[in-house]
């Protein structure tokens, strides 16, 4: 499989509604799309970096730079026997997993198309249906949050995750739990607390949460181990886990009992598989995290979620929750039972709406074998 061409595009997409986390409010997404042409087949990937370095250290700009100056020279014109060799070729570039993952996943899509198999089969998936949850941004009041939760449950979603931060936590969780005593409920703090908040976080134990996601610093596995020993509720790590060695460290230290895997954060499908394998071996359930993706990133998330260890509902939900118009066809749809069916057609299994992408594009760069 020879990489004949790589195109990097930046498109702008406006979310239907602003999404608030402890690190800020997002409404306009600057999405980087990677298109590769390999032996005549085209593959698509999405770089899931946000426009500011407030979730992790990458940004849209750093990813543009890294793809332009370091990744494309290593990839374009090269012959690969499998996309699983891509991370090895990129290993000299330290960090920048989202930039790498966007390119790596585009090659997986191209490879699956050349082999005429669905991507989810090629990456080792075993289930055709995945379970879906939703992540709800911080809201004005507990009352308005309860209304939103009710709406999502009526759509069939199987797990509700609430974004929290200091001052916007206990009252909100309590209101939702009171109204819905039996649902699978979790919270995500995106590193808004410190170990000194342990007594406060212990109060969360009263709400029978499935997990508390990433309460402490984005790069601090050790403090999560300290915290986990002081609370009953399972911790789940997101920001802290960038590769399988982080997963090994976290499990060994008992820093969490559940793992969030995001394709971009761990550098693509191979990195995801490796984190997944560590967790399966150690009996730690995993689920697929989201980064407010366009349909392309979302389709890759669906493929990843079919791996055997993804036993908890992920943050993979319908395109229509985010976008008036998605860039793939059909868009990602969720059944009334709160599931998504993995597609049967080759690659990511969705057609790319190139006309729409063209309209949304604000800049693009292309590298071919000879240039
Ligand atoms: O921490 O999971 C997170 C969105 C942006 C950045 C980080 C996170 C999130 C979400 C939204 O929770 C998940 C989604 O619906 O895509
Ligand atoms: Mg998270």
């Amino acid at each position: 499989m020879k990489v004949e061409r790589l195109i990097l595009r930046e498109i702008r997409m406006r979310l239907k509604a602003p999404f608030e986390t402890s690190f800020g409010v997002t409404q306009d997404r600057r999405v980087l799309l990677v298109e590769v042409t390999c032996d005549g087949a085209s593959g698509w990937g999405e770089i899931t970096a946000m426009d500011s370095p407030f979730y992790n250290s990458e940004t849209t700009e750093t990813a543009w730079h890294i793809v332009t100056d370091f990744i494309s020279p290593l990839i374009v014109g090269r012959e690969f026997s499998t996309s699983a060799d891509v991370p090895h070729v990129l290993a000299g570039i330290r960090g920048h997993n989202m930039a790498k993952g966007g390119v790596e996943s585009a090659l997986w899509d191209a490879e699956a198309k050349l082999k005429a198999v669905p991507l989810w089969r090629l990456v080792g998936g075993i289930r055709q249906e995945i379970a879906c949850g939703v992540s709800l941004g911080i809201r004005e009041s507990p009352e308005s949050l309860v209304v939103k939760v009710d709406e999502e449950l009526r759509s069939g979603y199987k797990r509700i995750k609430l974004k929290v931060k200091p001052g916007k936590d206990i009252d909100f969780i309590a209101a939702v739990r009171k109204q819905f005593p039996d649902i699978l409920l979790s919270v995500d703090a995106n590193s808004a607390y410190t170990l000194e908040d342990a007594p406060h976080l212990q109060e969360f134990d009263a709400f029978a949460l499935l997990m508390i996601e990433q309460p402490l610093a984005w790069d601090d596995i050790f403090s999560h181990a300290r915290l986990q020993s002081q609370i009953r509720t399972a911790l789940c790590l997101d920001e802290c886990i960038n590769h399988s060695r982080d997963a090994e460290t976290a499990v060994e230290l008992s820093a969490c009992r559940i793992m969030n895997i995001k394709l971009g954060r761990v550098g693509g499908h191979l990195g995801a598989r490796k984190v997944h394998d560590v967790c399966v071996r150690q009996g730690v359930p995993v689920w697929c995290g989201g980064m407010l993706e366009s349909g392309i990133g979302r389709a890759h998330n669906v493929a990843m979620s079919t791996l055997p260890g993804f036993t908890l509902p992920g943050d993979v939900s319908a395109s229509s929750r985010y976008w008036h118009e998605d860039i793939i066809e059909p868009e990602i749809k969720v059944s009334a039972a709160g599931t998504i069916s993995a597609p049967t057609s080759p690659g990511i299994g969705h057609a790319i709406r190139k006309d729409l992408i063209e309209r949304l594009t604000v800049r693009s760069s292309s590298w071919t074998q000879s240039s």
Side-chain angles (χ1 to χ4, degrees), residues 140-297:
E140 211 31 60
S141 68
E143 296 71 30
S144 64
L145 180 61
V146 168
V147 170
K148 188 71 191 165
V149 170
D150 185 52
E151 189 184 302
E152 302 289 6
L153 292 169
R154 284 173 198 275
S155 301
Y157 288 105
K158 293 171 181 291
R159 187 229 59 208
I160 302 290
K161 162 173 138 182
L162 313 176
K163 291 291 193 179
V164 292
K165 66 177 183 181
K168 292 266 193 178
D169 49 17
I170 301 280
D171 297 348
F172 291 76
I173 306 168
V176 172
R177 185 45 104 198
K178 179 156 182 273
Q179 190 73 22
F180 308 103
D182 302 320
I183 60 168
L184 278 183
L185 183 64
S186 68
V187 297
D188 184 1
N190 290 108
S191 303
Y193 299 90
T194 69
L195 202 47
E196 269 135 52
D197 296 313
H200 177 69
L201 293 166
Q202 278 167 356
E203 293 179 45
F204 291 21
D205 280 342
F207 303 113
L209 300 174
L210 175 61
M211 65 192 131
I212 302 171
E213 183 179 343
Q214 196 71 38
L216 309 180
W218 66 287
D219 58 351
D220 187 356
I221 296 175
F222 184 69
S223 292
H224 283 92
R226 285 264 171 88
L227 177 62
Q228 182 66 93
S229 71
Q230 297 172 51
I231 62 175
R232 280 205 317 277
T233 308
L235 294 185
C236 169
L237 292 179
D238 172 352
E239 283 88 329
C240 275
I241 307 299
N242 297 294
H243 42 64
S244 58
R245 284 169 291 109
D246 284 337
E248 299 263 22
T249 303
V251 174
E252 180 71 27
L253 294 179
S254 300
C256 66
R257 298 204 289 264
I258 294 176
M259 206 80 81
N260 166 318
I261 302 182
K262 287 182 182 167
L263 200 51
R265 202 192 63 226
V266 300
H269 285 290
L270 187 74
R273 177 84 215 193
K274 287 181 166 175
V275 171
H276 163 277
D277 290 353
V278 167
C279 292
V280 168
R281 207 179 314 127
Q282 305 279 6
V284 172
V286 310
W287 56 280
C288 175
M291 291 295 294
L292 311 171
E293 287 92 345
S294 81
I296 291 173

